[in-house]
Amino acid sequence: MRTLFSLLIAVAALFRGLRTELGHEANVTVNASHARAPKIFLLFMTIDSLPHQGVWKRWVADASPGEYKAYVMCKEACPSIDHSFMEQIPTVPTVYCADLVSGMNALLSAALKDPGYNDNDKFVFLSESHIPVKPFHEMKNILVSNANSDFCVFPRQEWHQHNADLR
């Protein structure tokens, strides 16, 4: 339990640092004075396409534009991205099982720069193989039902080990 608590403290510190770097106040608590409902940021990482983007577009069809925002980062060229549905951010070098965090940070940075961002918003990291299985409003209600963050972390013995030559 102590290790999990330490991990959450470290993640909160990284989040505060990124928010401060982007010019946001370094406060990750929920600000009750925000007038608008929380927004869900869909943050897609893909290699060169998003084969299920039609499914995702239909998934958010009943949502108002202010309820969600979708961003995508492609490792290679993504000519088939529907820009009416999502915003493509510049590519950041990533390596599968070694450094996906750089891409995730780029997506998170784009979301945090969104003009309507507030502390109640939620961020969902997705890949090209993900598909939604519950209706948008049901998932949104679950995600925004509390101000906590939810992390799913593999046990350490299941982590991929990567020995990079950084010379």
Side-chain angles (χ1 to χ4, degrees), residues 132-147:
V133 294
K134 293 184 178 184
F136 174 82
H137 286 100
E138 184 177 339
M139 287 308 306
K140 182 180 180 201
N141 289 339
I142 291 168
L143 289 169
V144 302
S145 66
N146 63 60

PDB file of all heavy atoms in Angstrom, residues 132-147:
ATOM      1  N   PRO A 132     -15.011   1.441 -28.247  1.00  0.00           N
ATOM      2  CA  PRO A 132     -15.888   1.647 -27.090  1.00  0.00           C
ATOM      3  C   PRO A 132     -16.918   0.523 -27.002  1.00  0.00           C
ATOM      4  O   PRO A 132     -17.412   0.046 -28.022  1.00  0.00           O
ATOM      5  CB  PRO A 132     -16.556   2.985 -27.406  1.00  0.00           C
ATOM      6  CG  PRO A 132     -16.541   3.073 -28.898  1.00  0.00           C
ATOM      7  CD  PRO A 132     -15.307   2.343 -29.353  1.00  0.00           C
ATOM      8  N   VAL A 133     -17.230   0.097 -25.785  1.00  0.00           N
ATOM      9  CA  VAL A 133     -18.225  -0.966 -25.612  1.00  0.00           C
ATOM     10  C   VAL A 133     -19.441  -0.506 -24.804  1.00  0.00           C
ATOM     11  O   VAL A 133     -20.435  -1.216 -24.742  1.00  0.00           O
ATOM     12  CB  VAL A 133     -17.611  -2.240 -24.966  1.00  0.00           C
ATOM     13  CG1 VAL A 133     -16.598  -2.865 -25.899  1.00  0.00           C
ATOM     14  CG2 VAL A 133     -17.006  -1.940 -23.621  1.00  0.00           C
ATOM     15  N   LYS A 134     -19.362   0.652 -24.193  1.00  0.00           N
ATOM     16  CA  LYS A 134     -20.495   1.224 -23.474  1.00  0.00           C
ATOM     17  C   LYS A 134     -20.808   2.577 -24.087  1.00  0.00           C
ATOM     18  O   LYS A 134     -19.931   3.242 -24.630  1.00  0.00           O
ATOM     19  CB  LYS A 134     -20.169   1.394 -21.985  1.00  0.00           C
ATOM     20  CG  LYS A 134     -20.000   0.079 -21.254  1.00  0.00           C
ATOM     21  CD  LYS A 134     -19.786   0.304 -19.776  1.00  0.00           C
ATOM     22  CE  LYS A 134     -19.669  -1.027 -19.068  1.00  0.00           C
ATOM     23  NZ  LYS A 134     -19.549  -0.862 -17.624  1.00  0.00           N
ATOM     24  N   PRO A 135     -22.049   3.035 -23.995  1.00  0.00           N
ATOM     25  CA  PRO A 135     -22.422   4.335 -24.563  1.00  0.00           C
ATOM     26  C   PRO A 135     -21.599   5.485 -23.954  1.00  0.00           C
ATOM     27  O   PRO A 135     -21.180   5.423 -22.798  1.00  0.00           O
ATOM     28  CB  PRO A 135     -23.893   4.483 -24.199  1.00  0.00           C
ATOM     29  CG  PRO A 135     -24.372   3.100 -23.935  1.00  0.00           C
ATOM     30  CD  PRO A 135     -23.194   2.354 -23.389  1.00  0.00           C
ATOM     31  N   PHE A 136     -21.408   6.532 -24.757  1.00  0.00           N
ATOM     32  CA  PHE A 136     -20.597   7.685 -24.333  1.00  0.00           C
ATOM     33  C   PHE A 136     -21.051   8.225 -22.980  1.00  0.00           C
ATOM     34  O   PHE A 136     -20.245   8.400 -22.075  1.00  0.00           O
ATOM     35  CB  PHE A 136     -20.647   8.804 -25.380  1.00  0.00           C
ATOM     36  CG  PHE A 136     -19.942  10.059 -24.923  1.00  0.00           C
ATOM     37  CD1 PHE A 136     -18.573  10.169 -25.038  1.00  0.00           C
ATOM     38  CD2 PHE A 136     -20.647  11.105 -24.346  1.00  0.00           C
ATOM     39  CE1 PHE A 136     -17.910  11.307 -24.588  1.00  0.00           C
ATOM     40  CE2 PHE A 136     -20.003  12.248 -23.901  1.00  0.00           C
ATOM     41  CZ  PHE A 136     -18.622  12.341 -24.033  1.00  0.00           C
ATOM     42  N   HIS A 137     -22.328   8.528 -22.843  1.00  0.00           N
ATOM     43  CA  HIS A 137     -22.792   9.174 -21.609  1.00  0.00           C
ATOM     44  C   HIS A 137     -22.649   8.260 -20.391  1.00  0.00           C
ATOM     45  O   HIS A 137     -22.399   8.745 -19.284  1.00  0.00           O
ATOM     46  CB  HIS A 137     -24.216   9.707 -21.778  1.00  0.00           C
ATOM     47  CG  HIS A 137     -24.235  10.941 -22.618  1.00  0.00           C
ATOM     48  ND1 HIS A 137     -24.569  10.928 -23.946  1.00  0.00           N
ATOM     49  CD2 HIS A 137     -23.910  12.223 -22.327  1.00  0.00           C
ATOM     50  CE1 HIS A 137     -24.460  12.153 -24.438  1.00  0.00           C
ATOM     51  NE2 HIS A 137     -24.059  12.959 -23.479  1.00  0.00           N
ATOM     52  N   GLU A 138     -22.776   6.970 -20.569  1.00  0.00           N
ATOM     53  CA  GLU A 138     -22.561   6.043 -19.459  1.00  0.00           C
ATOM     54  C   GLU A 138     -21.096   6.091 -19.010  1.00  0.00           C
ATOM     55  O   GLU A 138     -20.806   6.173 -17.823  1.00  0.00           O
ATOM     56  CB  GLU A 138     -22.952   4.621 -19.865  1.00  0.00           C
ATOM     57  CG  GLU A 138     -22.839   3.620 -18.738  1.00  0.00           C
ATOM     58  CD  GLU A 138     -23.296   2.222 -19.134  1.00  0.00           C
ATOM     59  OE1 GLU A 138     -24.059   2.073 -20.118  1.00  0.00           O
ATOM     60  OE2 GLU A 138     -22.887   1.271 -18.440  1.00  0.00           O
ATOM     61  N   MET A 139     -20.173   6.064 -19.983  1.00  0.00           N
ATOM     62  CA  MET A 139     -18.739   6.131 -19.632  1.00  0.00           C
ATOM     63  C   MET A 139     -18.384   7.487 -19.038  1.00  0.00           C
ATOM     64  O   MET A 139     -17.625   7.573 -18.076  1.00  0.00           O
ATOM     65  CB  MET A 139     -17.866   5.840 -20.861  1.00  0.00           C
ATOM     66  CG  MET A 139     -17.859   4.386 -21.270  1.00  0.00           C
ATOM     67  SD  MET A 139     -17.453   3.251 -19.919  1.00  0.00           S
ATOM     68  CE  MET A 139     -15.927   3.879 -19.305  1.00  0.00           C
ATOM     69  N   LYS A 140     -18.930   8.554 -19.607  1.00  0.00           N
ATOM     70  CA  LYS A 140     -18.636   9.882 -19.069  1.00  0.00           C
ATOM     71  C   LYS A 140     -19.109   9.986 -17.626  1.00  0.00           C
ATOM     72  O   LYS A 140     -18.375  10.483 -16.766  1.00  0.00           O
ATOM     73  CB  LYS A 140     -19.284  10.976 -19.915  1.00  0.00           C
ATOM     74  CG  LYS A 140     -18.934  12.359 -19.392  1.00  0.00           C
ATOM     75  CD  LYS A 140     -19.545  13.473 -20.177  1.00  0.00           C
ATOM     76  CE  LYS A 140     -19.103  14.780 -19.530  1.00  0.00           C
ATOM     77  NZ  LYS A 140     -19.940  15.884 -19.851  1.00  0.00           N
ATOM     78  N   ASN A 141     -20.312   9.506 -17.348  1.00  0.00           N
ATOM     79  CA  ASN A 141     -20.829   9.559 -15.978  1.00  0.00           C
ATOM     80  C   ASN A 141     -19.939   8.784 -15.013  1.00  0.00           C
ATOM     81  O   ASN A 141     -19.730   9.206 -13.873  1.00  0.00           O
ATOM     82  CB  ASN A 141     -22.261   9.046 -15.928  1.00  0.00           C
ATOM     83  CG  ASN A 141     -23.236  10.005 -16.575  1.00  0.00           C
ATOM     84  OD1 ASN A 141     -22.960  11.195 -16.728  1.00  0.00           O
ATOM     85  ND2 ASN A 141     -24.380   9.488 -16.996  1.00  0.00           N
ATOM     86  N   ILE A 142     -19.422   7.640 -15.450  1.00  0.00           N
ATOM     87  CA  ILE A 142     -18.518   6.860 -14.608  1.00  0.00           C
ATOM     88  C   ILE A 142     -17.224   7.637 -14.365  1.00  0.00           C
ATOM     89  O   ILE A 142     -16.751   7.760 -13.235  1.00  0.00           O
ATOM     90  CB  ILE A 142     -18.217   5.481 -15.244  1.00  0.00           C
ATOM     91  CG1 ILE A 142     -19.472   4.599 -15.218  1.00  0.00           C
ATOM     92  CG2 ILE A 142     -17.043   4.792 -14.540  1.00  0.00           C
ATOM     93  CD1 ILE A 142     -19.365   3.346 -16.076  1.00  0.00           C
ATOM     94  N   LEU A 143     -16.655   8.174 -15.438  1.00  0.00           N
ATOM     95  CA  LEU A 143     -15.367   8.874 -15.326  1.00  0.00           C
ATOM     96  C   LEU A 143     -15.447  10.130 -14.463  1.00  0.00           C
ATOM     97  O   LEU A 143     -14.522  10.433 -13.723  1.00  0.00           O
ATOM     98  CB  LEU A 143     -14.832   9.232 -16.713  1.00  0.00           C
ATOM     99  CG  LEU A 143     -14.343   8.065 -17.555  1.00  0.00           C
ATOM    100  CD1 LEU A 143     -14.090   8.519 -18.993  1.00  0.00           C
ATOM    101  CD2 LEU A 143     -13.081   7.473 -16.957  1.00  0.00           C
ATOM    102  N   VAL A 144     -16.539  10.874 -14.573  1.00  0.00           N
ATOM    103  CA  VAL A 144     -16.631  12.149 -13.849  1.00  0.00           C
ATOM    104  C   VAL A 144     -17.363  12.025 -12.518  1.00  0.00           C
ATOM    105  O   VAL A 144     -17.613  13.030 -11.859  1.00  0.00           O
ATOM    106  CB  VAL A 144     -17.267  13.259 -14.717  1.00  0.00           C
ATOM    107  CG1 VAL A 144     -16.480  13.460 -15.994  1.00  0.00           C
ATOM    108  CG2 VAL A 144     -18.725  12.977 -14.999  1.00  0.00           C
ATOM    109  N   SER A 145     -17.681  10.803 -12.105  1.00  0.00           N
ATOM    110  CA  SER A 145     -18.420  10.615 -10.854  1.00  0.00           C
ATOM    111  C   SER A 145     -17.612  11.006  -9.622  1.00  0.00           C
ATOM    112  O   SER A 145     -18.167  11.211  -8.554  1.00  0.00           O
ATOM    113  CB  SER A 145     -18.894   9.171 -10.725  1.00  0.00           C
ATOM    114  OG  SER A 145     -17.783   8.296 -10.593  1.00  0.00           O
ATOM    115  N   ASN A 146     -16.293  11.110  -9.789  1.00  0.00           N
ATOM    116  CA  ASN A 146     -15.458  11.580  -8.682  1.00  0.00           C
ATOM    117  C   ASN A 146     -14.263  12.332  -9.259  1.00  0.00           C
ATOM    118  O   ASN A 146     -14.024  12.312 -10.467  1.00  0.00           O
ATOM    119  CB  ASN A 146     -15.011  10.415  -7.781  1.00  0.00           C
ATOM    120  CG  ASN A 146     -14.147   9.418  -8.514  1.00  0.00           C
ATOM    121  OD1 ASN A 146     -13.085   9.759  -9.020  1.00  0.00           O
ATOM    122  ND2 ASN A 146     -14.592   8.179  -8.582  1.00  0.00           N
ATOM    123  N   ALA A 147     -13.523  12.992  -8.400  1.00  0.00           N
ATOM    124  CA  ALA A 147     -12.393  13.813  -8.839  1.00  0.00           C
ATOM    125  C   ALA A 147     -11.080  13.035  -8.871  1.00  0.00           C
ATOM    126  O   ALA A 147     -10.034  13.601  -9.148  1.00  0.00           O
ATOM    127  CB  ALA A 147     -12.245  15.016  -7.902  1.00  0.00           C
TER     128      ALA A 147
END
